[in-house]
Amino acid sequence: MLRYALTRLALLLVGLAVASVLIFATLRVLPGDVAQLIAGTQGTPEQVAAIRERLGLDAPAVVQYLDWIGGVFSGDLGSSLLTGTPVATELLEKAQVTVPLGLLALLVALAVALPFGVLSALWRARAAGTAVNVAAQTLAAVPVVWAGMMLVVVFAVWVGVLPAQGFPRAGWSDPAAALRALVLPALTIGVVEGALLLRFVRSATLDAQGRDYVRTAAAKGLTRTQALLRHGLPNVGLSVVTVLGLQVAGIIVGSVVIEQLFSLPGVGRMLVADVAARDLEKVQGSLLVLTGFVLIVGFVVDLAHRVIDPRQREAA
Amino acid sequence: MHRRLTLASAGVVAALLLTACTGGAGEAEPEPAGSPDPDASVSVRLVLEPGNLNVRETSGAALDQILIDNIYQGLVTRTPEQEIEPALADDYTVSTDGLTYSFTVREGVTFHNGQELTPQDVVWSLQTAKDTPAYVDSDRLAKVSSITAEGQVVTLTLTEPDSQLLWTLTGRAGLIFKEGDDTDLATAANGTGPFTLASWRQGDSIVFARNDAYWGEPATSAEIVFSYIPDTSAAVNAALAGEVDVLTGFDATLAERVEANGDFEVVTGPSTDKGTLAMNSLTAPLDDIRVREAIRRAIDHDAIIEALGAGETLYGPIPPLDPGYEDLSDVVPYDPEAARELLAEADAEDLDLTLTIPSFYPTTIPQVLVSQLAEVGITLEVDSVEFPVWLQDVYTNRDYELSFVLHTESRDFENWANPDYYFTYDEPRVQELYAQSLVATDEDEVAELLSEAARIVSEDMAADWLYNGASVLAVANNVSGMPTTNVNSRLDAAELGKS
């Protein structure tokens, strides 16, 4: 187990190193630069060159990369080229919106997917099962933006119980207001992601139903449903954990769209603005942290798998 | 000369429904019932957020719009109607030869950090603005040879007359800072204006608080919240849910939606926004004046105004709010038949052209252009690019055929007298007339010279001016004192109140 964990950790670090090079390189391919944006449309070429020099953008790419990575190793993610604010400070501030949003969305997704996924498998021969299945297919196909707009129109504009956009300026010092601001965005991502997950839970449940151990349990006198619930579901849970790990990345991507739609000052919206402003130092720092986060989630999921599922341990 | 261009996202988002806008240009703002609450917090939706707050070093209309007049001030300022009036100077005189400007600096003015404004601060601010090429508009002070203070009087001496100088002093180059102040201007501010910077949450909002130590009339509201909501439907929903009080950069075609519940009214005011279709005359086929004229004749300008739901037609480089305006609609009346003939004459039938447009503009304009140019046999390909790409390809490298940008800046005729500007227009007569207008000391003479130059620019088909934009706002019924003129460039919030 320890050997597995160490190998897996080494893989994680290699992944991060590769990602850092990719992030750095792809950003450098983008046309246009921040110096030109600061100088604007009055800037002479000399002014643009002076700004570029002041920001250290005139150094060779390799030097810039090594500077950056060297900083990262000493705990410095860099700072915004535009405001000079440290990337870590900005990320922490924006994460206060995005992380709770992601967690809430995940909760909503699970609340939708687990019960209805199992039910639709159990009821697959009945009309109710078909109804759940069709509903899930439909919801999964709904564009997130449209779903969000509908929720806003109903709950913010018509009923007026929830805010249509924005996040309280006081942040989490007023938890109720902060939470209220996240309800509609979390529902929007959660329901759509949940519908996707539901179909997965359903097929995992159906698969479990056909397994030997469920049949054996049924032969010992349990009803098929009892057998499935007691012996099948733990295995379903295991595969759901894996899919959830993958969904973390999906939710981060989804937050980019949702934060625009709901004008939430989160990580996703920050990234979009920073790319548009060519604040590359900030973008690469933020992306590295996000990539690291996703890789670590994958790492944890893999380890959790080994711990939960004895068969994988034996196989190793 | 200097080159200048500022951009604002037009108040013209996707062409949804063509609904008539309720207000005509220049319509007075709605008068709310009840007097404004001095403790109110008024929330204003803006579109483009600045990247940082350093007004001396960072260009862009987003900074002028909120910081000048509200936070920072100059010796003089401009009214929405583009008149120049005293601000930190309580009086000023200009010598008859136009070479000496004397400003009496107001007494009893303090900066937001409590320090007093001295004439030396004025001298220092203007001198550093002039001496630091990296500062925005620094070159606009080029004709100033000396800046001195004696008592409360600051004197600017010029090497030759500069009819633009007072105007320049109402802008970036004329802002007054505290000498030796170590405020980090990128994220904080220390000015003399009626508001202090209370907070900036990047990607969200900038909050101004009333400056209780202000030398002039105190601001009406305790707090102004500028919320950056780029998404139009999010903005409309926020208004309908009562979360914002004023929407700027509003899409006039959405008037019906925001007015539906009776809490909002859409108002429009004139602006100096010029929807400019630049034509690169350095390359074929646009180096042929007949082709450029054909393009202008093929465009139905009234149809564009209709599609936008607001604005006025414009056929030359100077809008009605600026000196030198003249109605030039006689230069190129809409005439697709003539356009086809011109193209045939120029041997340019079945033309393929590319329009490069920054991606933050709505699709209305390109859509109208594509269909109208198709009528005369021109196939228009629309290349929507990120602004940094536009800056690089079109602005710096002048590598484009047609380009659309909404030029918001007032009194920016100089770009037509600058052959290096991305417009690629190089006409010595225009450059000469503009130079004459700069050294002229009589306002009427200045306007006359500019108007003569503007006619030449239009007759040379240097570009097409698709429309003169309107300031389109949705204002809640309980809001008063919202400026309606040219708010893309300046948004003086001092009188903005809510009851």
Side-chain angles (χ1 to χ4, degrees):
Chain A
M1 180 68 199
L2 184 66
R3 218 181 103 212
Y4 174 79
L6 286 178
T7 323
R8 190 63 186 74
L9 187 66
L11 255 173
L12 169 74
L13 292 177
V14 171
L16 262 178
V18 172
S20 76
V21 175
L22 281 179
I23 289 168
F24 186 88
T26 40
L27 289 179
R28 292 308 177 287
V29 173
L30 286 179
D33 72 329
V34 69
Q36 201 152 27
L37 272 172
I38 291 174
T41 45
Q42 298 144 277
T44 59
E46 297 79 47
Q47 279 178 3
V48 175
I51 296 173
R52 204 170 277 144
E53 197 187 331
R54 174 164 63 84
L55 298 175
L57 295 173
D58 55 338
V62 178
V63 174
Q64 288 187 48
Y65 175 79
L66 291 177
D67 268 0
W68 173 49
I69 283 300
V72 171
F73 274 110
S74 57
D76 175 14
L77 283 168
S79 3
S80 162
L81 295 172
L82 279 166
T83 60
T85 320
V87 174
T89 314
E90 289 277 337
L91 259 180
L92 270 180
E93 193 198 307
K94 308 299 182 201
Q96 291 176 21
V97 174
T98 305
V99 170
L101 172 64
L103 288 177
L104 273 177
L106 212 54
L107 278 180
V108 173
L110 284 175
V112 171
L114 286 182
F116 288 105
V118 173
L119 283 180
S120 90
L122 285 177
W123 297 343
R124 73 180 188 285
R126 297 193 229 159
T130 314
V132 170
N133 209 21
V134 169
Q137 302 255 16
T138 315
L139 278 176
V142 163
V144 174
V145 173
W146 186 83
M149 297 246 289
M150 288 300 109
L151 285 172
V152 167
V153 168
V154 174
F155 290 102
V157 178
W158 290 353
V159 189
V161 287
L162 290 165
Q165 54 85 45
F167 195 70
R169 268 188 288 137
W172 286 97
S173 61
D174 182 355
L179 212 55
R180 272 164 47 86
L182 294 182
V183 171
L184 290 183
L187 271 179
T188 309
I189 313 181
V191 168
V192 176
E193 290 280 327
L196 288 165
L197 191 60
L198 184 153
R199 292 156 71 197
F200 183 82
V201 171
R202 180 176 188 267
S203 61
T205 312
L206 286 175
D207 180 58
Q209 270 179 329
R211 290 293 171 130
D212 290 345
Y213 53 85
V214 173
R215 257 187 273 150
T216 311
K220 282 179 170 172
L222 292 178
T223 65
R224 284 187 70 82
T225 306
Q226 284 169 332
L228 182 72
L229 291 180
R230 282 194 208 156
H231 299 273
L233 283 195
N235 282 297
V236 172
L238 200 61
S239 29
V240 168
V241 168
T242 315
V243 176
L244 275 184
L246 292 174
Q247 275 205 321
V248 168
I251 284 178
I252 290 175
V253 173
S255 75
V256 173
V257 177
I258 282 301
E259 285 172 5
Q260 293 288 4
L261 185 65
F262 286 93
S263 290
L264 291 172
V267 177
R269 201 168 154 210
M270 177 180 87
L271 273 176
V272 172
D274 290 343
V275 172
R278 296 292 187 269
D279 195 342
L280 300 189
E281 180 102 1
K282 207 167 143 206
V283 177
Q284 68 197 21
S286 312
L287 281 183
L288 188 69
V289 172
L290 284 182
T291 313
F293 179 69
V294 172
L295 288 176
I296 288 169
V297 168
F299 174 68
V300 171
V301 165
D302 276 2
L303 285 192
H305 242 152
R306 304 283 289 200
V307 176
I308 301 169
D309 189 350
R311 282 171 307 178
Q312 285 198 27
R313 251 177 291 167
E314 284 149 21
Chain B
M1 274 289 333
H2 5 259
R3 298 176 281 166
R4 177 160 193 143
L5 157 90
T6 33
L7 303 150
S9 166
V12 284
V13 182
L16 296 174
L17 292 163
L18 295 186
T19 54
C21 152
T22 55
E27 183 186 312
E29 63 188 71
E31 277 309 314
S35 55
D37 171 9
D39 298 324
S41 168
V42 184
S43 167
V44 179
R45 174 263 183 153
L46 299 179
V47 181
L48 280 187
E49 186 181 15
N52 73 51
L53 302 182
N54 194 331
V55 71
R56 298 195 99 175
E57 292 182 21
T58 308
S59 62
L63 283 180
D64 299 77
Q65 187 182 34
I66 60 166
L67 293 183
I68 302 180
D69 293 340
N70 292 322
I71 300 279
Y72 296 111
Q73 297 178 306
L75 292 169
V76 283
T77 187
R78 54 179 97 153
T79 66
E81 290 71 34
Q82 314 290 293
E83 304 290 335
I84 292 166
E85 57 179 36
L88 290 179
D90 44 23
D91 193 18
Y92 65 88
T93 54
V94 183
S95 66
T96 43
D97 61 3
L99 294 177
T100 311
Y101 286 68
S102 304
F103 299 88
T104 312
V105 178
R106 207 177 277 277
E107 290 183 69
V109 176
T110 52
F111 282 90
H112 295 157
N113 67 358
Q115 285 177 290
E116 202 164 320
L117 168 77
T118 65
Q120 176 52 32
D121 294 328
V122 175
V123 173
W124 177 82
S125 298
L126 298 179
Q127 193 69 51
T128 48
K130 176 180 158 55
D131 294 343
T132 317
Y135 286 177
V136 177
D137 287 351
S138 171
D139 55 355
R140 291 177 170 252
L141 297 174
K143 289 181 180 172
V144 177
S145 59
S146 81
I147 306 163
T148 55
E150 203 185 309
Q152 285 301 113
V153 178
V154 169
T155 306
L156 273 63
T157 314
L158 278 64
T159 50
E160 62 173 334
D162 181 357
S163 62
Q164 285 266 25
L165 182 69
L166 277 178
W167 183 258
T168 296
L169 293 177
T170 67
R172 298 282 190 103
L175 297 181
I176 306 303
F177 300 83
K178 183 70 195 173
E179 183 174 9
D181 184 25
D182 59 0
T183 306
D184 177 9
L185 295 184
T187 54
N190 181 29
T192 55
F195 292 100
T196 60
L197 176 70
S199 75
W200 177 28
R201 281 207 317 167
Q202 219 184 337
D204 184 62
S205 59
I206 292 176
V207 181
F208 288 176
R210 177 167 47 217
N211 171 14
D212 288 317
Y214 185 54
W215 56 267
E217 191 75 22
T220 305
S221 297
E223 187 181 77
I224 308 289
V225 179
F226 294 107
S227 292
Y228 291 94
I229 312 178
D231 187 88
T232 305
S233 39
V236 172
N237 288 331
L240 294 177
E243 291 157 22
V244 295
D245 304 304
V246 177
L247 301 177
T248 69
F250 191 66
D251 180 351
T253 63
L254 295 178
E256 232 166 57
R257 232 188 106 195
V258 77
E259 287 179 329
N261 68 1
D263 293 338
F264 275 83
E265 190 177 341
V266 172
V267 283
T268 61
S271 88
T272 55
D273 297 1
K274 300 161 288 287
T276 309
L277 181 70
M279 303 196 260
N280 187 349
S281 54
L282 297 180
T283 54
L286 292 162
D287 55 352
D288 188 329
I289 188 172
R290 291 170 299 186
V291 174
R292 300 200 301 271
E293 180 175 351
I295 290 173
R296 294 187 71 189
R297 285 186 184 271
I299 296 170
D300 179 358
H301 295 78
D302 292 313
I304 289 178
I305 306 297
E306 200 181 318
L308 295 175
E312 301 290 325
T313 53
L314 183 70
Y315 295 90
I318 298 180
L321 280 178
D322 284 349
Y325 169 74
E326 182 192 357
D327 181 357
L328 295 171
S329 54
D330 59 317
V331 177
V332 275
Y334 174 54
D335 189 347
E337 192 46 49
R340 275 187 285 264
E341 279 164 24
L342 281 161
L343 287 172
E345 232 175 83
D347 205 15
E349 289 142 310
D350 297 322
L351 215 53
D352 285 308
L353 291 173
T354 303
L355 171 74
T356 310
I357 178 169
S359 54
F360 51 70
Y361 292 119
T363 52
T364 316
I365 293 296
Q367 279 167 354
V368 174
L369 289 179
V370 166
S371 74
Q372 293 192 346
L373 292 182
E375 295 270 307
V376 299
I378 298 173
T379 310
L380 191 64
E381 192 195 317
V382 179
D383 189 10
S384 171
V385 298
E386 273 187 296
F387 187 53
V389 180
W390 183 90
L391 269 178
Q392 184 170 310
D393 291 353
V394 178
Y395 182 77
T396 306
N397 297 335
R398 295 193 273 172
D399 178 14
Y400 73 101
E401 289 183 319
L402 300 174
S403 170
F404 173 83
V405 159
L406 188 69
H407 288 255
T408 63
E409 187 58 34
S410 315
R411 305 195 185 185
D412 59 354
F413 182 80
E414 62 193 345
N415 297 330
W416 298 103
N418 172 13
D420 294 329
Y421 200 67
Y422 86 96
F423 290 157
T424 70
Y425 179 64
D426 187 357
E427 171 54 56
R429 278 183 306 153
V430 169
Q431 289 152 25
E432 176 55 33
L433 285 167
Y434 180 65
Q436 284 174 19
S437 83
L438 283 182
V439 294
T441 48
D442 177 66
E443 276 183 38
D444 294 336
E445 195 191 342
V446 171
E448 223 163 273
L449 289 161
L450 287 174
S451 118
E452 197 184 324
R455 181 171 275 277
I456 298 174
V457 173
S458 186
E459 284 171 351
D460 280 346
M461 311 293 155
D464 192 37
W465 295 273
L466 300 177
Y467 61 96
N468 170 208
S471 288
V472 184
L473 309 161
V475 183
N477 294 335
N478 59 346
V479 166
S480 59
M482 177 66 200
T484 55
T485 299
N486 223 19
V487 291
N488 268 350
S489 304
R490 293 285 176 92
L491 202 169
D492 184 345
E495 289 174 23
L496 188 52
K498 190 163 101 173
S499 53

